[in-house]
Amino acid sequence: MPTDHPPSRTPARIKDRPTWLISRTFARSSGLLAAGFESYGRGLRSYHYRLLAALDEWGPASQADLGRGTGIDRSDVTAVLSELESLRLVERSVDPDHRRRNIVTITPAGVEQLLELDNVIDGIQEQVLKPLTNAQRRQFIALMMKLLAAEDESSKG
Amino acid sequence: MPTDHPPSRTPARIKDRPTWLISRTFARSSGLLAAGFESYGRGLRSYHYRLLAALDEWGPASQADLGRGTGIDRSDVTAVLSELESLRLVERSVDPDHRRRNIVTITPAGVEQLLELDNVIDGIQEQVLKPLTNAQRRQFIALMMKLLAAEDESSKG
DNA sequence: TTTGTTATGTTGGCCACGCCAACATTGGCC
DNA sequence: GGCCAATGTTGGCGTGGCCAACATAACAAA
């Protein structure tokens, strides 16, 4: 559990810089997220959630496709899928048309787990944004989307 | 260097969530920052910068105070200071009034290094915010500050 | 058809950042 | 004098994000 120990003073040349604010914001967000995952037990972390979500949404897929789709490295996909498999949340089978490839499928238990995680994570969005009014939340989200739009474009190519 | 490999699709239940946007924003920011530090060579990273900035701004301090002030763990402070010391950017001396304590001082070379890093890092602020207009940048910064205000309060106690 | 070349899954490793525990040592307090 | 707190240090752990190397399988070019 990242306990998120913020600095007590923070040098002036640092404290107002966007990169610093972004980093603190992320620390707060990921701390809350980690606490959420942990309170949930099972040893699931964000990678697990991302993979379950991808499988639920895109249907059965190869590990390589999962990696590309979620931005998780192949090797990490392998490791996390093994954990998910041992929890019976996904299943791996060899693609008959391409025996080097695995077809990964989410199980009913996996879907159920995913839905529960959805709830936990939704609650955390609320916590993260709590200091902002609704209008400010919308603004904040819109600004981040704009900030990331270029990146999204370039990776779609 | 974090190469920041964004996902190519991103599941819908994830892609609009604030925690996800925050995490992507941070990935972008810290990727640019890391590239900046690395292009600069010398093996300096954000911890080094934070400590140099703290020393420059608050004057000579003990390691424990540096840790509390910057939010960096004592043990990490020790390690990073050793690197800074071997680069002759800081000096450690035993506090005569408290021989368990070190007094850490930034050297002239350290100040110089800090100023150069300042420039690099300022350039990165620009890059990070590039997609936003000036008004949007101000908004974005203000929103993050509000988001973090509660945390700052509680750690001042 | 044989010879590269590319894609896939796996293993094992590395780094940054953030933590924590344990320890010896020092100083302050009662 | 004896206890407690603070200090610096060592060593370790976890997460997220990477990369390299490898065997194997499929594919493309020759």
Side-chain angles (χ1 to χ4, degrees):
Chain A
M1 44 171 162
T3 328
D4 193 11
H5 287 165
S8 64
R9 274 128 88 210
T10 313
R13 53 158 45 81
I14 289 181
K15 79 173 205 302
D16 292 332
R17 280 208 248 242
T19 47
W20 175 253
L21 295 169
I22 289 169
S23 146
R24 294 306 312 157
T25 301
F26 172 72
R28 181 152 174 280
S29 166
S30 76
L32 291 170
L33 229 25
F37 278 116
E38 199 191 6
S39 77
Y40 196 81
R42 295 274 237 154
L44 300 179
R45 301 173 306 260
S46 76
Y47 274 9
H48 301 83
Y49 179 70
R50 280 158 71 182
L51 288 176
L52 287 178
L55 285 168
D56 179 66
E57 207 160 304
W58 303 330
S62 74
Q63 300 185 190
D65 283 343
L66 284 173
R68 280 183 290 263
T70 60
I72 300 173
D73 189 89
R74 302 199 326 264
S75 61
D76 299 318
V77 170
T78 295
V80 171
L81 285 183
S82 296
E83 294 174 22
L84 290 174
E85 197 176 25
S86 71
L87 290 170
R88 313 271 154 198
L89 302 179
V90 305
E91 275 168 3
R92 274 195 268 215
S93 62
V94 176
D95 184 341
D97 296 345
H98 193 315
R99 309 213 340 243
R100 194 85 194 82
R101 189 144 47 196
N102 285 340
I103 295 180
V104 185
T105 313
I106 190 169
T107 65
V111 174
E112 201 179 326
Q113 180 72 260
L114 177 61
L115 295 177
E116 294 177 28
L117 286 175
D118 274 338
N119 288 334
V120 173
I121 292 172
D122 279 337
I124 291 178
Q125 310 305 310
E126 181 59 29
Q127 279 181 259
V128 169
L129 297 180
K130 194 173 304 170
L132 302 183
T133 67
N134 280 343
Q136 288 171 335
R137 294 176 189 198
R138 283 191 298 272
Q139 266 183 38
F140 184 52
I141 291 168
L143 287 170
M144 285 191 291
M145 283 180 169
K146 186 166 184 197
L147 213 49
L148 297 170
E151 173 177 81
D152 290 352
E153 273 320 300
S154 74
S155 75
K156 255 178 211 141
Chain B
M1 44 172 163
T3 328
D4 194 11
H5 288 166
S8 64
R9 274 128 89 209
T10 314
R13 50 154 50 79
I14 290 181
K15 81 173 204 303
D16 293 332
R17 281 209 247 240
T19 47
W20 175 252
L21 295 169
I22 290 169
S23 148
R24 294 306 312 157
T25 301
F26 172 73
R28 180 151 175 279
S29 166
S30 74
L32 290 170
L33 229 27
F37 278 116
E38 198 191 6
S39 77
Y40 196 80
R42 296 273 237 156
L44 301 178
R45 300 172 307 259
S46 77
Y47 274 10
H48 302 82
Y49 178 72
R50 279 158 73 181
L51 288 176
L52 287 177
L55 285 169
D56 179 66
E57 205 161 306
W58 303 331
S62 73
Q63 300 185 191
D65 283 343
L66 284 173
R68 280 183 289 264
T70 60
I72 300 174
D73 189 88
R74 296 192 342 256
S75 61
D76 298 320
V77 170
T78 294
V80 172
L81 285 183
S82 297
E83 294 175 21
L84 290 174
E85 198 178 24
S86 71
L87 290 170
R88 313 271 155 198
L89 302 179
V90 305
E91 274 168 3
R92 273 194 268 214
S93 61
V94 177
D95 184 340
D97 297 346
H98 194 316
R99 308 213 338 243
R100 195 82 194 82
R101 188 147 44 199
N102 286 340
I103 295 181
V104 185
T105 313
I106 190 169
T107 65
V111 174
E112 201 179 326
Q113 179 72 261
L114 176 61
L115 294 177
E116 294 178 27
L117 286 175
D118 274 339
N119 288 335
V120 173
I121 292 173
D122 278 338
I124 291 177
Q125 309 307 308
E126 181 58 29
Q127 278 181 259
V128 168
L129 297 180
K130 193 173 303 167
L132 303 183
T133 66
N134 281 343
Q136 288 171 335
R137 294 175 189 199
R138 283 191 297 272
Q139 267 183 36
F140 184 52
I141 291 169
L143 288 170
M144 284 191 291
M145 283 179 167
K146 185 164 185 198
L147 213 49
L148 297 169
E151 173 177 82
D152 291 351
E153 274 319 301
S154 72
S155 74
K156 257 180 211 141

